[in-house]
Amino acid sequence: MKRVLIANRGEIALRIVRACHEEGLEAVAVHSAADRTSPHVRAADFAVPIGPASPTESYLSIPRLLEAAEASGADGVHPGYGFLAERAAFAEAVDGAGLTWIGPPASAIRAMGDKTEARRRMEAAGVPIVPGAVAPLTDAGAARSLAEQIGYPVIVKAAAGGGGKGMRVVTAAEELEPALVAAGSEALKSFGDASVYLEKFIERPRHVEIQVLADAARTVHLGERECSIQRRHQKLVEEAPSVAVSDTRRERMGAAAVAAASAVGYRSAGTCEFLLAADGSFYFLEMNTRIQVEHPVTELVYGVDLVREQLRIARGLPMSVASRPLHPRGWAIECRLTSEDPANGFLPSTGRIEYLRPPAGPGVRWDSGIDVGNDVTLYYDSMLAKLIVWAPDRPQAIARMRRALEELVLVGVATNQGFHVRLMDDEAFQQGDVDIQFLDRRSDLLEPRPDTDRELQLAVAAALAEDAARRARRPLVTADGDGSGAWGRLARQEALR
Ligand code: ADP
């Protein structure tokens, strides 16, 4: 493998370009008409336009991607996450075209993609699953007796599910039938498949997932990520390790994840998601057969480059991870910066990035797919960038994230930056006292608050004024510089000119 086509966009495409270059591989970017000037396109060695902005005609089009691979002379394909990453047919098409697929075998993608089949397989492999159905429900009567058997509350889920769609929590028998109908029709709309099943609804669990890495000879785990900070089943903040996972629990959950991966003949990087209940029991939820958004927190505490490992494994090389037991070092936190407007019910915000000052400094990693001049549209996911920090322990990681969030200045679209600041300042979060319903109870954190907003707006104003002054080549402020906050910092900088 010499030249890798990256069938994706945004931050993950750029992330993969970087790994390719460090591995001595050439990178081919593909882009829709909307992404011509995106950072991933500029960073790659070759760029191939694959169609209009609409994903179905570009990033989701298997024929266009294969044509792009052929035209650019690529001999490998990395799918990233989202788009076609978990489409077994895409993995097969790539193989069929004689190219190297940088991901798990199509059979493993398929086995884990069907949730009830995955549950059956996991049960057979001795991996604990949430009590409930291991096949799609056939009628309301069967659903009722199963629900009675496992006890309410239960959750109805789409067999072909993903992205939190087609799920309904049911607390009493009379709500069951309407929930089956609603989940079924949502599933049909989202996945073209109305099959649903049900399982026990676990009260206030944590979402804890295990990173797995498998090559031809070995399957290992790289510990957990805590992803309980979710809004509408979408993760917003992730960390590694988890305050709720001791060394013994990590080994137990890790062994379950390795068993899950082995049961489907897994290769490459993958993630087993678990619900961890308050009593310490844990249940397999699903396996994501791809690199995940939140992979960097694991990279920082384990000192591994997961995308590089994917490239090595795809080339038939052994993973470069040691076979002795690995331990996380320090603490990492990731905040997903999205173009969602807290002042407008978290609806996506669109516009042109007018100004961007990414955070930097010790322990800060900025994985972003945007730059000044880029347009944020409604065509793609609202995640603009990931801000990731590492520090020796959790309190220092939180303080570092707080500092980095203050340094970040982004002008042009509304973002959830203020939410992240409020979360870092929150006592319950600082205590690690979280579960997947945390943000349902603490919706106050999602709402704009004058103090956080004033602080962030001040930073924006100072950065813009600084930028304008720099362009005009004249000093901006002549204050004596004893003020605090963004203006004070700016004044001190000016005084040094
Ligand atoms: P999807 O594939 O749509 O993302 P998942 O099965 O991964 O669906 O579940 C998404 C989220 O829904 C989980 O992270 C969790 O917050 C919640 N959830 C799913 N199943 C249960 C359950 N049995 N009990 C409680 N919460 C659940």
Side-chain angles (χ1 to χ4, degrees):
M1 196 164 72
K2 291 198 165 55
R3 191 176 289 175
V4 174
L5 179 128
I6 300 153
N8 216 299
R9 65 180 297 283
E11 68 88 17
I12 193 63
L14 179 56
R15 164 76 187 87
I16 298 164
V17 171
R18 286 172 167 154
C20 286
H21 285 168
E22 289 180 22
E23 272 297 280
L25 296 164
E26 289 174 324
V28 180
V30 295
H31 64 87
S32 73
D35 286 338
R36 233 168 6 95
T37 58
S38 294
H40 80 277
V41 177
R42 278 181 282 140
D45 304 285
F46 307 91
V48 186
I50 49 165
S54 164
T56 47
E57 294 173 78
S58 48
Y59 301 107
L60 284 171
S61 166
I62 295 178
R64 294 214 175 145
L65 289 162
L66 292 181
E67 277 163 37
E70 160 113 58
S72 61
D75 50 8
V77 174
H78 195 305
Y81 55 69
F83 295 123
L84 296 168
E86 288 177 286
R87 205 72 76 72
F90 184 45
E92 283 162 350
V94 167
D95 274 341
L99 310 169
T100 302
W101 169 250
I102 302 158
S107 55
I109 301 178
R110 202 164 268 132
M112 289 299 189
D114 179 326
K115 292 202 167 188
T116 52
E117 185 189 337
R119 281 168 60 77
R120 269 197 307 281
R121 291 245 208 162
M122 293 305 105
E123 198 172 40
V127 178
I129 58 170
V130 187
V134 287
L137 297 166
T138 44
D139 59 81
R144 215 171 305 120
S145 56
L146 179 62
E148 238 121 73
Q149 194 190 315
I150 59 177
Y152 290 95
V154 298
I155 182 166
V156 178
K157 296 169 113 177
K165 291 205 183 73
M167 297 198 304
R168 291 286 183 284
V169 180
V170 181
T171 50
E174 62 272 17
E175 297 163 14
L176 184 58
E177 228 171 297
L180 291 169
V181 174
S185 70
E186 195 172 308
L188 184 63
K189 240 190 309 172
S190 308
F191 316 111
D193 177 356
S195 342
V196 294
Y197 67 103
L198 68 78
E199 63 188 32
K200 178 90 186 146
F201 180 71
I202 312 290
E203 309 266 7
R204 294 180 61 165
R206 289 170 183 267
H207 174 119
V208 174
E209 59 189 32
I210 302 282
Q211 177 69 52
V212 177
L213 205 53
D215 64 16
R218 290 189 296 145
T219 301
V220 302
H221 75 86
L222 291 168
E224 77 282 6
R225 292 187 284 263
E226 157 86 63
C227 313
S228 296
I229 303 296
Q230 304 181 352
R231 181 181 169 274
R232 303 210 171 139
H233 307 303
Q234 301 284 338
K235 299 163 188 163
L236 285 173
V237 174
E238 301 96 344
E239 45 186 300
S242 161
V243 295
V245 178
S246 62
D247 288 348
T248 347
R249 187 168 289 170
R250 177 172 307 121
E251 282 324 307
R252 282 178 51 217
M253 295 182 79
V258 166
S262 305
V264 295
Y266 205 82
R267 294 276 178 286
S268 191
T271 298
C272 288
E273 298 190 330
F274 294 97
L275 291 179
L276 174 62
D279 67 1
S281 44
F282 59 88
Y283 308 95
F284 174 87
L285 210 49
E286 66 173 342
M287 182 168 190
N288 290 143
T289 52
R290 53 170 159 81
I291 192 81
Q292 273 187 309
V293 173
E294 59 271 29
H295 74 275
V297 290
T298 299
E299 296 188 322
L300 296 182
V301 295
Y302 279 90
V304 205
D305 181 325
L306 288 167
V307 178
R308 170 171 185 254
E309 297 304 326
Q310 287 188 301
L311 295 169
R312 287 180 60 88
I313 293 166
R315 290 169 124 174
L317 299 170
M319 63 173 111
S320 64
V321 172
S323 44
R324 62 190 150 69
L326 300 161
H327 299 286
R329 186 180 145 268
W331 213 277
I333 305 179
E334 169 179 284
C335 287
R336 298 189 187 194
L337 190 77
T338 64
S339 54
E340 292 172 322
D341 189 356
N344 190 18
F346 272 74
L347 283 174
S349 160
T350 59
R352 179 160 294 176
I353 308 290
E354 304 286 356
Y355 182 87
L356 177 64
R357 188 181 69 188
V364 174
R365 172 169 164 182
W366 171 251
D367 278 23
S368 144
I370 51 154
D371 214 339
V372 173
N374 288 163
D375 289 318
V376 177
T377 68
L378 290 176
Y379 286 109
Y380 311 115
D381 191 85
S382 61
M383 195 180 78
L384 301 173
K386 308 183 304 207
L387 174 55
I388 311 120
V389 301
W390 180 91
D393 59 30
R394 190 167 185 270
Q396 291 183 71
I398 293 174
R400 184 162 274 174
M401 180 60 86
R402 182 70 170 76
R403 183 271 292 172
L405 283 164
E406 247 173 71
E407 278 185 27
L408 166 64
V409 175
L410 189 152
V411 182
V413 288
T415 74
N416 61 355
Q417 187 178 358
F419 155 73
H420 289 300
V421 173
R422 289 188 290 278
L423 183 72
M424 294 305 128
D425 285 346
D426 185 73
E427 213 180 300
F429 176 76
Q430 289 172 358
Q431 303 287 319
D433 183 13
V434 299
D435 58 73
I436 60 173
Q437 276 121 42
F438 179 78
L439 284 186
D440 297 336
R441 294 193 299 278
R442 296 297 311 282
S443 53
D444 58 298
L445 292 170
L446 292 166
E447 280 150 28
R449 214 157 56 198
D451 51 348
T452 333
D453 288 348
R454 204 175 314 116
E455 207 176 296
L456 292 177
Q457 277 159 13
L458 201 61
V460 167
L464 288 178
E466 187 186 345
D467 189 46
R470 192 184 301 124
R471 283 168 202 266
R473 294 177 188 284
R474 61 176 168 74
L476 173 75
V477 202
T478 48
D480 54 9
D482 59 357
S484 65
W487 284 114
R489 275 201 298 277
L490 181 56
R492 283 188 293 281
Q493 285 162 21
E494 289 298 328
L496 289 175
R497 277 171 197 241

